[in-house]
Coordinates of all heavy atoms in Angstrom, one line a residue:
N88 N 174.4 -111.9 -237.7 CA 175.4 -112.5 -238.5 C 176.7 -112.5 -237.7 O 177.4 -111.5 -237.5 CB 175.6 -111.8 -239.8 CG 176.5 -112.6 -240.8 OD1 177.3 -113.4 -240.4 ND2 176.3 -112.3 -242.1
S89 N 177.0 -113.6 -237.1 CA 178.2 -113.7 -236.2 C 179.5 -113.6 -236.9 O 180.6 -113.5 -236.3 CB 178.2 -115.0 -235.3 OG 178.2 -116.1 -236.2
S90 N 179.5 -113.8 -238.3 CA 180.7 -113.8 -239.0 C 181.3 -112.4 -239.4 O 182.3 -112.3 -239.9 CB 180.5 -114.6 -240.3 OG 179.6 -114.0 -241.2
I91 N 180.5 -111.4 -239.1 CA 180.9 -110.1 -239.5 C 181.6 -109.3 -238.4 O 182.7 -108.8 -238.6 CB 179.7 -109.3 -240.1 CG1 180.1 -107.9 -240.6 CG2 178.6 -109.2 -239.1 CD1 181.0 -107.9 -241.7
L92 N 181.0 -109.2 -237.2 CA 181.6 -108.4 -236.1 C 182.1 -109.3 -235.0 O 182.6 -108.8 -234.0 CB 180.6 -107.3 -235.6 CG 180.4 -106.1 -236.6 CD1 179.4 -105.2 -236.0 CD2 181.7 -105.4 -236.8
H93 N 181.8 -110.6 -235.1 CA 182.4 -111.5 -234.2 C 182.0 -111.2 -232.7 O 182.8 -111.1 -231.8 CB 183.9 -111.6 -234.3 CG 184.4 -111.9 -235.7 ND1 184.2 -113.1 -236.3 CD2 185.0 -111.1 -236.6 CE1 184.7 -113.1 -237.5 NE2 185.2 -111.9 -237.7
G94 N 180.7 -111.0 -232.5 CA 180.2 -110.8 -231.2 C 179.9 -109.4 -230.8 O 179.2 -109.1 -229.8
T95 N 180.5 -108.4 -231.5 CA 180.2 -107.0 -231.2 C 178.8 -106.7 -231.8 O 178.5 -107.0 -232.9 CB 181.3 -106.1 -231.8 OG1 182.6 -106.5 -231.3 CG2 181.0 -104.7 -231.5
E96 N 178.1 -106.0 -231.0 CA 176.7 -105.6 -231.3 C 176.6 -104.2 -231.8 O 177.2 -103.3 -231.2 CB 175.8 -105.8 -230.2 CG 174.3 -105.4 -230.5 CD 173.4 -105.5 -229.3 OE1 173.9 -106.0 -228.2 OE2 172.2 -105.1 -229.4
L97 N 176.0 -103.9 -232.9 CA 175.7 -102.6 -233.4 C 174.5 -102.0 -232.7 O 173.4 -102.7 -232.6 CB 175.5 -102.5 -234.9 CG 176.7 -102.6 -235.8 CD1 176.3 -102.4 -237.2 CD2 177.7 -101.5 -235.4
K98 N 174.5 -100.8 -232.2 CA 173.4 -100.2 -231.6 C 173.1 -98.8 -232.3 O 174.0 -98.0 -232.4 CB 173.6 -99.9 -230.1 CG 172.4 -99.4 -229.3 CD 172.7 -99.3 -227.8 CE 171.4 -98.8 -227.1 NZ 171.7 -98.6 -225.6
I99 N 171.9 -98.7 -232.8 CA 171.6 -97.5 -233.6 C 170.9 -96.5 -232.7 O 170.0 -96.8 -231.9 CB 170.7 -97.9 -234.8 CG1 170.5 -96.7 -235.7 CG2 169.4 -98.5 -234.4 CD1 171.7 -96.4 -236.5
H100 N 171.2 -95.2 -232.9 CA 170.6 -94.1 -232.2 C 170.1 -93.2 -233.3 O 170.8 -92.6 -234.1 CB 171.6 -93.3 -231.3 CG 172.2 -94.2 -230.3 ND1 171.6 -94.3 -229.0 CD2 173.3 -95.0 -230.3 CE1 172.4 -95.1 -228.3 NE2 173.4 -95.5 -229.0
M101 N 168.7 -93.0 -233.4 CA 168.1 -92.3 -234.5 C 167.7 -90.9 -234.0 O 167.1 -90.8 -232.9 CB 166.9 -93.0 -235.1 CG 167.3 -94.3 -235.8 SD 165.9 -95.0 -236.7 CE 166.7 -96.4 -237.5
K102 N 167.9 -89.9 -234.8 CA 167.5 -88.5 -234.5 C 166.7 -88.0 -235.7 O 167.0 -88.3 -236.9 CB 168.7 -87.6 -234.3 CG 169.6 -88.1 -233.2 CD 168.9 -88.0 -231.8 CE 169.9 -88.4 -230.7 NZ 169.3 -88.4 -229.4
N103 N 165.7 -87.1 -235.5 CA 164.9 -86.6 -236.5 C 165.3 -85.1 -236.8 O 165.3 -84.3 -235.9 CB 163.4 -86.6 -236.1 CG 162.5 -86.2 -237.2 OD1 162.9 -85.8 -238.3 ND2 161.2 -86.2 -236.9

Side-chain angles (χ1 to χ4, degrees):
N88 191 334
S89 59
S90 64
I91 182 67
L92 288 178
H93 306 287
T95 299
E96 179 185 354
L97 282 184
K98 186 176 182 181
I99 187 74
H100 300 270
M101 293 189 179
K102 305 292 184 182
N103 188 358

